[in-house]
Amino acid sequence: MISCALPPEKFPFMAEMIPVALTTAEPPFKIFSKSLSRTDLENRLSVPASCLHFFRVPEGSNQIEFQAIDTLGKPWSFKLSLRSGGYPKPVITGEWLSFVRDKGVKVGDTVTIFQQNNGTNECQYSISVSRKVFNVLATLPV
């Protein structure tokens, strides 16, 4: 949602209608896209380690729960976990496998996770899936 402030001196009759704290949401930012493998669909979604800084994993913890909204507006609860020790190798679980089944996701489909700041320093995540149909990438209505 994008809000804009109207100068009250030009529109005094609207002063009561305009919320005091207007926020401007930033456009969604693509965190990553990935062509899905059988392991991604049957076990867990592996995430590129280079994307970890987009998730606020508390210090001393190796996981974070977050919600992502699909293109139909349905929220999904996911958990991003890290291996303890050397290479973190992040993976997403939680409702991931339910998402895969519900949406009919197949090997070779591309999942994209986006992040958006809603204007209050809170991050919101969204998720979409696309599939090549007749050699054209199309976003599935998920």
Side-chain angles (χ1 to χ4, degrees):
M1 173 175 73
I2 298 177
S3 302
C4 61
L6 300 173
E9 64 276 1
K10 291 188 179 183
F11 303 96
F13 59 93
M14 294 183 70
E16 293 177 10
M17 298 169 53
I18 302 171
V20 175
L22 293 174
T23 60
T24 302
E26 297 173 2
F29 175 81
K30 181 172 76 172
I31 296 176
F32 73 92
S33 285
K34 179 181 182 192
S35 179
L36 299 172
S37 68
R38 182 165 309 287
T39 300
D40 292 323
L41 301 182
E42 294 177 355
N43 300 300
R44 64 200 156 274
L45 173 64
S46 63
V47 177
S50 60
C51 301
L52 276 178
H53 64 280
F54 292 106
F55 298 92
R56 296 179 180 162
V57 179
E59 192 170 329
S61 178
N62 68 341
Q63 66 183 19
I64 184 171
E65 293 184 12
F66 69 98
Q67 252 190 7
I69 308 297
D70 67 21
T71 56
L72 297 177
K74 181 178 178 181
W76 295 88
S77 296
F78 297 122
K79 180 168 50 173
L80 180 118
S81 304
L82 310 171
R83 278 188 184 173
S84 54
Y87 181 67
K89 194 170 183 177
V91 295
I92 290 178
T93 57
E95 290 185 318
W96 169 248
L97 295 178
S98 297
F99 175 83
V100 167
R101 283 189 299 274
D102 188 66
K103 304 304 180 180
V105 180
K106 298 180 180 180
V107 171
D109 288 351
T110 300
V111 67
T112 304
I113 294 186
F114 300 90
Q115 181 185 57
Q116 182 175 16
N117 184 319
N118 66 6
T120 62
N121 269 348
E122 292 181 18
C123 292
Q124 295 177 332
Y125 299 94
S126 57
I127 186 168
S128 69
V129 176
S130 36
R131 176 177 297 156
K132 276 197 173 181
V133 180
F134 300 115
N135 214 21
V136 176
L137 197 61
T139 300
L140 302 177
V142 296

